[in-house]
Amino acid sequence: MAKKKSTAPEYRCSSCGYTQPRWLGRCPECGEWNTFEEYTPADSTGAALPYGKMPGSTERIVPVPLTSVDPMECQRISTGNSEFDRVLGGGACKRSAVLIGGEPGIGKSTLLLQTAASIKSGGRVLYVSGEESGSQIRARADRLKIDTSNIDILCTLRLDDITNALNSLNPVCVVVDSIQTVYSAEAGLVPGTINQLKYCSNELISWVKERDSVLFLSAHVTKDGIIAGPKSLEHMVDTVISFERNNDEVRFLRASKNRFGSVDELGIFSMTEDGLHPVEDPSFMFITQRDGALPAGIAIAPVFEGSRVFLVEIQALTIPAKASVARVFSEKIESARVSRIAAVLEKKTGLKLSEYDLFVNVAGGVRLTESAIDSAIAAALYSARTDLACPESCVIAGEISLAGEIRPVSRLKQRVKTAQSLGFTKVVAPENLSGTQCVNDITGLIKALFGA
């Protein structure tokens, strides 16, 4: 009879999870010092553990024909917030994990607390806080006038406490604020390390995958606005949502990954004393209301965000470059796109822009990536450079190629309909539709807007 291998202790790096049979002062994988900790492997057979199974499990996972799998539709739970449901694709799917990241103080805890109180699915909601005390959360709930009768609060950092509470309560929704504060003794004693994030997230996600529950994870972000921690954390969850702001009152919710819906939807909220409230009709939200005429350097563009059309105001400013090299300053629109459009505009119209610093902004602070705004950017730059204002009540749409051609954009009829419903009488676009003025190249665009 073969003799079983003895369970010998090993040493694991608490920063990256690298293991080896002896202690080292410096980890050869990540280069950190004094991070090796002794632990005893729970399973010494070397067999790979199935996803979501604890060490020592004897259940075997076998392949099945794909045709025998039940193609049941995702069962969704409404968050009680129309804009949040829109970004999630119609509500939060059961057996899914949602990761929400945003800068400090933007309102992540407020959104999650409001969501926890608004979920009505006949079960309890477990709110796990590793950053605030129970009295702080209760004070916020009272200030926001939130009904917390279906919420159980758990203030802890230990993963064991969370899993024990999950098994005893069996909630329909779990909120963890934030995942960077949770730690397990199996992965070390320091929260926030790469190994801790991967281990704790995997345990929590595995729990909801086996039950009809939804997991919301709050996450810290870096100074660049990227979710802190390993990129594998975003691969583990089903939905990744970023929380952004443009000022003290307006918040934007955008999904960069969604296995159960579109990533093109944009949720818009207003922050008040009573918490976050959805903005149902943001059509005029990104246009400055003026009493006088439209100033130079302003152009209006219709953009699609998911299933809705917004009219946005693109602002441009050109000044002579103080250095030998001209610069482009653009935060909400990619600087490379502005440079490309300026180069095409200078090549085809002869208007000097290479000797000027270019400043481009979007009113309202929304970030734009759609190619349909190319024509509006060109019009704003030309207007700022020549000090000629665009026509009143005019909307511009079209993609500009390097050859100076204006290419058609998708769903132009809906853009035209929205612009006309908001009182805009002129739409300059590369298609000859009812209510539009057709232009085929950038020279024709300039003539249609500013004359010969």
Side-chain angles (χ1 to χ4, degrees):
M1 182 176 178
K3 185 179 180 180
K4 292 185 178 180
K5 294 182 180 179
S6 61
T7 305
E10 294 183 358
Y11 294 88
R12 173 189 291 164
C13 176
S14 60
S15 178
C16 66
Y18 176 78
T19 60
Q20 71 152 29
R22 63 188 182 89
W23 185 87
L24 289 176
R26 185 181 184 183
C27 176
E29 183 70 19
C30 64
E32 297 291 334
W33 289 90
N34 298 324
T35 56
F36 276 97
E37 299 175 355
E38 181 179 348
Y39 83 105
T40 301
D43 185 5
S44 60
T45 62
L49 295 173
Y51 181 80
K53 299 300 179 183
M54 295 300 292
S57 175
T58 58
E59 182 179 350
R60 293 184 177 275
I61 307 299
V62 296
V64 296
L66 183 59
T67 55
S68 65
V69 178
D70 183 14
M72 58 178 295
E73 293 185 0
C74 172
Q75 298 181 358
R76 296 185 181 271
I77 300 177
S78 175
T79 62
N81 191 310
S82 59
E83 292 295 292
F84 198 8
D85 286 342
R86 180 191 300 273
V87 176
L88 291 173
C93 285
K94 293 183 177 180
R95 305 193 177 197
S96 68
V98 181
L99 182 65
I100 303 177
E103 64 184 36
I106 198 171
K108 300 186 298 297
S109 299
T110 299
L111 176 65
L112 292 175
L113 186 59
Q114 288 181 316
T115 300
S118 301
I119 289 182
K120 307 295 183 182
S121 57
R124 305 292 296 176
V125 177
L126 178 62
Y127 191 102
V128 181
S129 176
E131 300 179 344
E132 297 178 295
S133 64
S135 59
Q136 289 177 306
I137 299 174
R138 175 60 189 273
R140 179 186 293 116
D142 293 341
R143 186 179 73 253
L144 301 178
K145 301 177 182 179
I146 294 177
D147 180 16
T148 59
S149 57
N150 67 321
I151 300 178
D152 292 287
I153 186 71
L154 176 64
C155 298
T156 184
L157 303 179
R158 298 193 303 174
L159 179 65
D160 292 341
D161 296 337
I162 300 175
T163 54
N164 291 336
L166 292 175
N167 293 326
S168 60
L169 292 175
N170 196 24
V172 297
C173 178
V174 184
V175 176
V176 179
D177 185 18
S178 64
I179 187 59
Q180 273 90 357
T181 62
V182 181
Y183 77 94
S184 173
E186 294 292 333
L189 298 177
V190 181
T193 63
I194 295 177
N195 198 36
Q196 287 282 12
L197 286 173
K198 295 168 64 176
Y199 183 86
C200 297
S201 299
N202 181 65
E203 293 297 312
L204 295 173
I205 294 173
S206 299
W207 191 91
V208 299
K209 291 293 184 181
E210 298 174 356
R211 297 164 178 84
D212 288 338
S213 181
V214 181
L215 174 65
F216 291 97
L217 300 174
S218 171
H220 300 168
V221 296
T222 64
K223 62 180 181 180
D224 297 325
I226 303 173
I227 294 178
K231 198 68 176 179
S232 59
L233 183 62
E234 300 183 30
H235 290 280
M236 295 166 62
V237 299
D238 300 295
T239 305
V240 179
I241 295 177
S242 60
F243 214 9
E244 308 168 0
R245 79 166 91 198
N246 70 328
N247 53 42
D248 292 335
E249 297 181 357
V250 181
R251 304 289 189 272
F252 300 125
L253 205 63
R254 191 191 303 268
S256 58
K257 172 188 176 182
N258 192 352
R259 290 173 177 164
F260 306 106
S262 172
V263 296
D264 298 326
E265 295 288 354
L266 178 69
I268 305 176
F269 302 86
S270 61
M271 174 65 82
T272 64
E273 296 180 354
D274 299 331
L276 290 165
H277 298 279
V279 178
E280 301 294 345
D281 186 15
S283 301
F284 257 123
M285 187 174 179
F286 307 112
I287 299 179
T288 305
Q289 302 299 321
R290 299 180 177 86
D291 296 332
L294 192 70
I298 303 296
I300 309 298
V303 299
F304 253 103
E305 289 289 348
S307 57
R308 296 183 294 185
V309 180
F310 303 141
L311 294 185
V312 297
E313 179 181 297
I314 298 178
Q315 306 168 350
L317 174 66
T318 62
I319 61 174
K322 297 180 180 179
S324 58
V325 179
R327 296 167 295 176
V328 176
F329 301 88
S330 178
E331 181 181 356
K332 301 304 179 180
I333 301 175
E334 189 180 6
S335 299
R337 168 179 290 186
V338 177
S339 300
R340 173 176 57 82
I341 295 174
V344 175
L345 187 63
E346 181 172 344
K347 174 70 174 179
K348 297 300 179 181
T349 64
L351 186 69
K352 284 290 184 180
L353 292 172
S354 57
E355 300 174 356
Y356 287 76
D357 288 338
L358 307 180
F359 298 81
V360 176
N361 186 37
V362 181
V366 63
R367 178 165 43 88
L368 301 179
T369 59
E370 193 181 16
S371 60
I373 64 174
D374 288 357
S375 295
I377 297 174
L381 290 173
Y382 189 93
S383 174
R385 177 66 178 83
T386 59
D387 204 24
L388 299 174
C390 291
E392 295 284 346
S393 301
C394 179
V395 173
I396 308 165
E399 177 185 355
I400 296 179
S401 68
L402 292 179
E405 301 171 323
I406 298 183
R407 297 169 50 84
V409 297
S410 62
R411 296 179 286 186
L412 181 59
K413 290 184 179 180
Q414 292 94 319
R415 301 174 197 263
V416 173
K417 183 178 179 181
T418 300
Q420 292 175 345
S421 65
L422 296 177
F424 289 85
T425 58
K426 183 177 181 180
V427 179
V428 180
E431 295 184 37
N432 193 8
L433 300 178
S434 176
T436 65
Q437 182 176 355
C438 181
V439 291
N440 298 320
D441 53 31
I442 195 169
T443 304
L445 173 69
I446 299 303
K447 290 182 179 180
L449 294 175
F450 306 100

